[in-house]
Amino acid sequence: MHTDRTVQNRAAACAAELPRSEHTHQFTGDWEVWKVGGKVFMLQTSVHGEPVVILKADPSDADTLRASHTSISRGYHMDKKHWITIRPGADIEQALVDNLVTESYLLVVAGLPRQNRPVDPDTFSFLPSAD
Protein backbone atom coordinates (compact mmCIF):
# COMPACT_ATOMS: atom_id res chain seq x y z
CA MET A 1 0.00 0.00 0.00
CA HIS A 2 1.40 3.38 -1.07
CA THR A 3 0.07 6.25 1.06
CA ASP A 4 2.15 9.14 -0.30
CA ARG A 5 -0.30 12.02 -0.67
CA THR A 6 2.21 14.47 -2.17
CA VAL A 7 0.58 14.44 -5.62
CA GLN A 8 -2.93 14.81 -4.17
CA ASN A 9 -1.85 17.66 -1.89
CA ARG A 10 -0.09 19.52 -4.71
CA ALA A 11 -3.04 19.05 -7.09
CA ALA A 12 -5.51 20.28 -4.45
CA ALA A 13 -3.38 23.36 -3.70
CA CYS A 14 -3.15 24.20 -7.40
CA ALA A 15 -6.88 23.68 -7.99
CA ALA A 16 -7.76 25.87 -5.02
CA GLU A 17 -5.99 28.83 -6.66
CA LEU A 18 -7.82 28.59 -9.99
CA PRO A 19 -10.57 31.18 -10.54
CA ARG A 20 -14.02 29.98 -9.40
CA SER A 21 -12.79 26.48 -8.64
CA GLU A 22 -15.20 24.66 -6.31
CA HIS A 23 -14.15 21.82 -3.99
CA THR A 24 -16.92 19.38 -3.11
CA HIS A 25 -17.32 15.79 -1.95
CA GLN A 26 -19.16 13.00 -3.73
CA PHE A 27 -22.17 11.83 -1.73
CA THR A 28 -21.18 8.18 -2.07
CA GLY A 29 -17.70 6.81 -1.70
CA ASP A 30 -14.50 8.53 -0.71
CA TRP A 31 -14.10 11.01 -3.57
CA GLU A 32 -12.96 14.64 -3.50
CA VAL A 33 -14.30 16.60 -6.49
CA TRP A 34 -13.20 19.92 -8.02
CA LYS A 35 -15.48 21.74 -10.45
CA VAL A 36 -15.62 24.94 -12.47
CA GLY A 37 -18.95 26.18 -13.79
CA GLY A 38 -20.59 23.08 -12.30
CA LYS A 39 -18.40 20.73 -14.40
CA VAL A 40 -15.80 18.35 -12.96
CA PHE A 41 -12.15 18.95 -13.82
CA MET A 42 -10.42 16.95 -11.06
CA LEU A 43 -11.20 14.02 -8.77
CA GLN A 44 -9.21 12.46 -5.95
CA THR A 45 -9.67 9.10 -4.27
CA SER A 46 -7.67 6.04 -3.26
CA VAL A 47 -7.40 2.96 -5.44
CA HIS A 48 -6.37 -0.15 -3.50
CA GLY A 49 -5.04 2.15 -0.75
CA GLU A 50 -3.03 4.29 -3.17
CA PRO A 51 -3.98 8.00 -3.41
CA VAL A 52 -4.68 9.08 -7.00
CA VAL A 53 -5.63 12.23 -8.91
CA ILE A 54 -7.91 11.96 -11.95
CA LEU A 55 -7.81 14.78 -14.53
CA LYS A 56 -9.30 15.63 -17.90
CA ALA A 57 -6.73 15.61 -20.72
CA ASP A 58 -6.59 16.17 -24.44
CA PRO A 59 -6.57 12.64 -25.95
CA SER A 60 -3.27 13.09 -27.83
CA ASP A 61 -1.62 14.59 -24.75
CA ALA A 62 -3.00 11.75 -22.63
CA ASP A 63 -1.39 9.15 -24.90
CA THR A 64 1.96 10.93 -24.73
CA LEU A 65 1.77 11.32 -20.95
CA ARG A 66 0.97 7.64 -20.44
CA ALA A 67 3.84 6.63 -22.71
CA SER A 68 6.40 8.85 -20.96
CA HIS A 69 5.36 8.52 -17.28
CA THR A 70 4.89 5.19 -15.53
CA SER A 71 2.80 6.93 -12.85
CA ILE A 72 0.18 8.13 -15.36
CA SER A 73 -2.50 5.75 -16.62
CA ARG A 74 -5.99 5.84 -18.13
CA GLY A 75 -8.71 7.60 -16.14
CA TYR A 76 -9.96 5.49 -13.24
CA HIS A 77 -13.76 5.08 -13.54
CA MET A 78 -13.81 7.77 -16.24
CA ASP A 79 -13.74 7.95 -20.04
CA LYS A 80 -10.40 6.30 -20.87
CA LYS A 81 -9.76 8.58 -23.84
CA HIS A 82 -10.30 11.96 -22.15
CA TRP A 83 -9.15 11.35 -18.57
CA ILE A 84 -5.88 10.33 -16.92
CA THR A 85 -4.99 9.00 -13.47
CA ILE A 86 -1.84 10.17 -11.71
CA ARG A 87 -0.27 8.05 -8.99
CA PRO A 88 2.62 9.06 -6.74
CA GLY A 89 5.96 8.30 -8.33
CA ALA A 90 9.48 9.55 -8.89
CA ASP A 91 8.56 10.65 -12.43
CA ILE A 92 5.86 13.08 -11.21
CA GLU A 93 7.21 16.53 -10.38
CA GLN A 94 5.29 19.44 -8.85
CA ALA A 95 5.47 21.48 -12.06
CA LEU A 96 3.95 18.58 -14.02
CA VAL A 97 1.09 18.29 -11.51
CA ASP A 98 0.47 22.07 -11.71
CA ASN A 99 0.43 21.95 -15.52
CA LEU A 100 -1.89 18.96 -15.70
CA VAL A 101 -4.37 20.41 -13.18
CA THR A 102 -4.39 23.75 -15.02
CA GLU A 103 -4.84 22.07 -18.41
CA SER A 104 -7.73 19.99 -17.08
CA TYR A 105 -9.37 23.14 -15.72
CA LEU A 106 -8.91 24.98 -19.03
CA LEU A 107 -10.35 22.09 -21.05
CA VAL A 108 -13.49 22.26 -18.94
CA VAL A 109 -13.63 26.07 -19.05
CA ALA A 110 -13.39 25.96 -22.86
CA GLY A 111 -16.53 23.79 -22.92
CA LEU A 112 -18.57 26.26 -20.85
CA PRO A 113 -20.80 28.88 -22.47
CA ARG A 114 -18.74 32.04 -23.01
CA GLN A 115 -20.72 34.06 -20.48
CA ASN A 116 -20.01 31.43 -17.78
CA ARG A 117 -16.25 31.22 -18.29
CA PRO A 118 -14.24 32.61 -15.36
CA VAL A 119 -11.21 33.06 -17.66
CA ASP A 120 -10.43 33.02 -21.37
CA PRO A 121 -8.99 29.52 -21.92
CA ASP A 122 -6.94 30.75 -24.89
CA THR A 123 -5.09 33.48 -22.99
CA PHE A 124 -5.16 32.37 -19.34
CA SER A 125 -1.72 32.04 -17.74
CA PHE A 126 -1.33 30.54 -14.29
CA LEU A 127 1.61 30.30 -11.93
CA PRO A 128 0.61 28.61 -8.66
CA SER A 129 2.07 29.78 -5.38
CA ALA A 130 5.26 28.04 -4.35
CA ASP A 131 4.86 25.80 -1.31
Side-chain angles (χ1 to χ4, degrees):
M1 182 184 324
H2 192 52
T3 59
D4 179 0
R5 298 203 180 282
T6 305
V7 172
Q8 281 188 338
N9 293 341
R10 183 62 189 187
C14 180
E17 293 187 41
L18 294 166
R20 285 198 249 152
S21 171
E22 305 169 50
H23 177 208
T24 62
H25 301 272
Q26 185 176 355
F27 293 112
T28 58
D30 187 25
W31 292 75
E32 302 282 326
V33 181
W34 281 261
K35 298 178 180 182
V36 60
K39 303 290 184 182
V40 175
F41 72 91
M42 182 172 78
L43 300 136
Q44 292 185 354
T45 192
S46 290
V47 177
H48 307 294
E50 182 177 48
V52 298
V53 176
I54 303 151
L55 298 165
K56 192 168 184 79
D58 177 87
S60 61
D61 291 343
D63 288 340
T64 301
L65 287 163
R66 286 190 295 268
S68 60
H69 298 278
T70 58
S71 298
I72 298 178
S73 59
R74 295 185 181 276
Y76 178 72
H77 278 301
M78 301 297 282
D79 177 293
K80 305 302 184 204
K81 183 176 179 181
H82 295 276
W83 291 83
I84 58 173
T85 298
I86 307 171
R87 290 173 168 71
D91 61 338
I92 304 298
E93 297 178 1
Q94 285 187 1
L96 177 61
V97 174
D98 293 343
N99 288 337
L100 294 176
V101 170
T102 303
E103 284 301 312
S104 179
Y105 169 87
L106 292 174
L107 284 168
V108 173
V109 166
L112 296 173
R114 241 179 243 287
Q115 67 272 17
N116 296 346
R117 294 177 182 172
V119 299
D120 181 343
D122 296 324
T123 61
F124 181 71
S125 177
F126 178 67
L127 294 174
S129 300
D131 286 335

